[in-house]
Amino acid sequence: MAANPTPRVRVPAKAAKGEMIEVKTLISHEMESGQRKDSAGKTIPRQIINKFTAAFNGKTVFEADWFAAISANPYQAFFFKAQESGEFTFTWKDDNGSEYSAKAKLAVA
Amino acid sequence: MPTLLKQGSRREVLAAGGLAALAALLAPRMAFADEKAVEAELKKLYGDKKFETGRIKLDVPQIAENGLVVPINVEIESPMTADDYVKAVHVFADGNPQPGVVSYRFTPECGKAAAATRMRLAQTQNIVCVAEMSNGKLYSTKSEVKVTIGGCGG
């Protein structure tokens, strides 16, 4: 692992009630597939982020299970219907047991 | 930047080439999944249930120049209300070392059953996408992606 995975999320700060918003997330991660070999011909063990979860005000609204086929620096976009103001919590789970998280506020007028 | 590092290390592998690269070339080909592997995965998930066509919009490029980063966008037609929504979507690739790509779980709060990510494809192959509705109905579709440079990174 090169550096600590850094999540980046893009959520509109404000939305009208009932408006559909697109949430875009990105996290820096090698997503080592377990298929590559090092210069000595030894298989490099798999280490990917295997799960992405998005919760709004504590309730899970969207989940993605990622497999080895997901590209490095995984990107995930999804939609959310704004109903009330609150806060998103995004969680990424690494094969090595680590968890990375990010938060974003949404104000609904 | 992990991406740069990764490319760097691949270059190293190539440069250090010689025996190692030769050995890699001579080694038996990597085992790839096939249609059967995808069918087996579907059977694991849904048994012998039948899939209907329609409702899924699977947006993948026809030709991917770089198999390392292939955008995939899925959208499923659904009112996304509390009693009629898309529960899960699974994406498989039948020509990768392992068939799994991504599994999504949606909730009515999403408002729209659509998601986008990027995947690695080792070679030209079919992308299979299945959707499970809250009433248990299943839909499936597939689409071929031609890959110019594989993203297997052996």
Side-chain angles (χ1 to χ4, degrees):
Chain A
M1 194 79 272
N4 260 353
T6 315
R8 278 193 289 162
V9 298
R10 193 188 287 169
V11 176
K14 276 185 271 181
K17 193 173 159 65
E19 190 185 336
M20 206 87 77
I21 60 165
E22 188 175 17
V23 176
K24 294 177 177 178
T25 72
L26 193 66
I27 186 164
S28 59
H29 194 285
E30 293 247 1
M31 297 293 276
E32 189 59 63
S33 69
Q35 299 292 333
R36 298 198 309 151
K37 295 196 167 68
D38 62 17
S39 49
K42 256 181 38 192
T43 302
I44 305 169
R46 177 183 125 150
Q47 196 202 331
I48 67 167
I49 293 175
N50 56 50
K51 198 179 188 74
F52 166 78
T53 311
F56 188 72
N57 288 345
K59 184 177 186 280
T60 299
V61 294
F62 174 83
E63 279 181 306
D65 290 338
W66 288 339
F67 297 94
I70 295 297
S71 301
N73 304 325
Y75 166 78
Q76 184 69 65
F78 65 95
F79 289 86
F80 180 74
K81 198 170 181 181
Q83 295 288 6
E84 51 172 0
S85 298
E87 192 176 42
F88 283 102
T89 309
F90 305 102
T91 316
W92 291 262
K93 284 200 177 88
D94 196 305
D95 272 351
N96 71 6
S98 308
E99 273 192 25
Y100 318 109
S101 71
K103 286 180 190 292
K105 281 203 165 74
L106 174 69
V108 173
Chain B
M1 287 275 290
T3 332
L4 287 177
L5 271 176
K6 191 172 205 168
Q7 281 165 358
S9 72
R10 178 167 305 169
R11 216 162 283 143
E12 250 178 60
V13 170
L14 286 176
L19 285 175
L22 199 66
L25 278 173
L26 293 175
R29 288 286 296 165
M30 212 181 295
F32 288 107
D34 54 17
E35 279 168 50
K36 284 207 186 88
V38 173
E39 274 168 27
E41 291 288 323
L42 289 177
K43 205 158 187 163
K44 242 192 274 171
L45 283 166
Y46 299 119
D48 287 324
K49 285 203 209 144
K50 290 263 180 303
F51 293 92
E52 293 175 41
T53 52
R55 288 182 82 159
I56 304 176
K57 207 180 119 219
L58 173 61
D59 190 6
V60 288
Q62 279 188 313
I63 298 172
E65 277 178 21
N66 179 2
L68 273 171
V69 187
V70 184
I72 169 165
N73 199 339
V74 295
E75 187 172 344
I76 292 93
E77 248 174 71
S78 164
M80 295 303 274
T81 56
D83 44 352
D84 184 5
Y85 64 97
V86 180
K87 237 166 101 178
V89 169
H90 304 279
V91 179
F92 300 101
D94 69 8
N96 268 358
Q98 289 158 347
V101 175
V102 67
S103 292
Y104 295 127
R105 268 176 303 281
F106 293 100
T107 60
E109 284 78 13
C110 293
K112 182 167 158 184
T117 186
R118 297 170 187 147
M119 62 186 169
R120 292 191 274 238
L121 297 178
Q123 57 183 358
T124 296
Q125 56 186 291
N126 289 311
I127 305 306
V128 179
C129 178
V130 301
E132 181 190 357
M133 305 294 157
S134 55
N135 63 7
K137 271 200 174 174
L138 301 172
Y139 293 86
S140 88
T141 189
K142 71 175 172 183
S143 180
E144 193 193 39
V145 181
K146 288 194 163 51
V147 177
T148 318
I149 306 167
C152 200

